[in-house]
Amino acid sequence: MSFISVFDVLGPNMIGPSSSHTAGACVIANLARKMLGTELKEVEFTLYGSFAKTYQGHGTDRALLGGIMGFQTDDERIRDSFEIAKERGIAFRFIPNDTDTDTHPNTADVHMVGTDGRVMDVRGESLGGGKVRISRINGVEVDFTGEYSAVIVVQQDRPGVVAHITKILSDRNVNIAFMRLFRESKGNTAYTIVESDGKLPDDVAEKLRENKYVRDVMIVQ
């Protein structure tokens, strides 16, 4: 028997008319911002399905832009996110895509460029009730929700890397809730995503990078 929380029924505290089109959009962009890990210079949102059809009328555009600046779903600044982004010098645009139909109905691709030149692409899906799923990072298919603290390790697919990750976390008493490995193909780029019940220690990223096959580490608290 599945458990249904009262919050699944009532939905999240939020600005906007729709948990799927505004709260979910805000959460997707907020997670993407955390993964980028640097100050944002420009962002491009490509919208699919119902996002593409109703993004202006339902405030999806403002919610995405608010989320990418770190606003929570109930932050009243979302209403003024266009103006605030311009004040912060963040270039942005929205591209509705109504030709690709093989996606979840509420899907957004987030293309980000940091002030340090870092570039990242994240795909997120709004599942309803403010819940989301990150389904792609830089073209690699992944699957995590952002409901837990997470460490995302970008690595070369080599023996011993996963053991290195688990040892670093075990040495710091990190309780693993979920752990998944995603890869492009054998021996190429892989993503290990570890979700934890609690806040991740500050030195985790530094220690994980000590393995020569670890290319990048992203922390989402």
Side-chain angles (χ1 to χ4, degrees):
M1 180 177 180
S2 62
F3 174 77
I4 299 177
S5 164
V6 66
F7 297 106
D8 294 327
V9 177
L10 296 178
N13 292 329
M14 65 180 190
I15 300 296
S18 166
S19 61
S20 293
H21 288 79
T22 50
C26 183
V27 173
I28 288 169
N30 206 322
L31 287 171
R33 177 191 65 88
K34 290 178 180 179
M35 283 184 272
L36 180 67
T38 188
E39 293 297 317
L40 187 69
K41 178 182 178 182
E42 60 184 84
V43 61
E44 178 181 282
F45 300 100
T46 302
L47 310 176
Y48 302 86
S50 62
F51 268 9
K53 294 180 175 66
T54 65
Y55 72 97
Q56 293 172 313
H58 283 185
T60 304
D61 48 2
R62 296 182 183 278
L64 285 166
L65 197 53
I68 209 71
M69 292 187 290
F71 302 168
Q72 301 302 310
T73 57
D74 60 351
D75 195 321
E76 294 187 0
R77 291 178 296 173
I78 287 175
R79 297 189 178 100
D80 302 314
S81 57
F82 279 38
E83 293 77 13
I84 295 170
K86 291 173 183 176
E87 291 171 1
R88 295 185 180 183
I90 299 173
F92 60 90
R93 67 171 178 157
F94 300 89
I95 303 173
N97 182 320
D98 55 8
T99 58
D100 293 345
T101 58
D102 190 22
T103 59
H104 184 278
N106 300 323
T107 295
D109 285 339
V110 187
H111 174 77
M112 299 167 287
V113 180
T115 54
D116 60 356
R118 182 174 186 178
V119 177
M120 177 173 284
D121 293 283
V122 173
R123 170 170 288 186
E125 302 165 357
S126 178
L127 307 179
K131 296 182 180 297
V132 307
R133 183 175 83 97
I134 301 301
S135 59
R136 189 179 294 175
I137 302 174
N138 291 335
V140 177
E141 301 290 336
V142 300
D143 185 2
F144 80 104
T145 65
E147 294 181 10
Y148 297 84
S149 292
V151 56
I152 304 167
V153 182
V154 187
Q155 69 212 56
Q156 191 171 1
D157 184 34
R158 289 288 187 274
V161 182
V162 172
H164 167 72
I165 295 168
T166 55
K167 184 179 187 306
I168 293 297
L169 297 177
S170 176
D171 288 347
R172 282 151 186 78
N173 296 313
V174 173
N175 190 37
I176 295 174
F178 304 99
M179 183 171 180
R180 304 178 184 89
L181 174 68
F182 306 91
R183 62 185 186 177
E184 290 177 329
S185 60
K186 183 177 179 180
N188 290 318
T189 301
Y191 286 76
T192 297
I193 299 178
V194 183
E195 295 177 281
S196 167
D197 292 319
K199 188 175 184 291
L200 293 161
D202 293 335
D203 68 339
V204 163
E206 177 186 354
K207 292 297 181 181
L208 289 171
R209 288 190 179 99
E210 290 178 357
N211 186 289
K212 65 180 181 180
Y213 295 120
V214 171
R215 297 174 180 171
D216 195 10
V217 180
M218 296 170 271
I219 303 294
V220 179
Q221 300 281 21

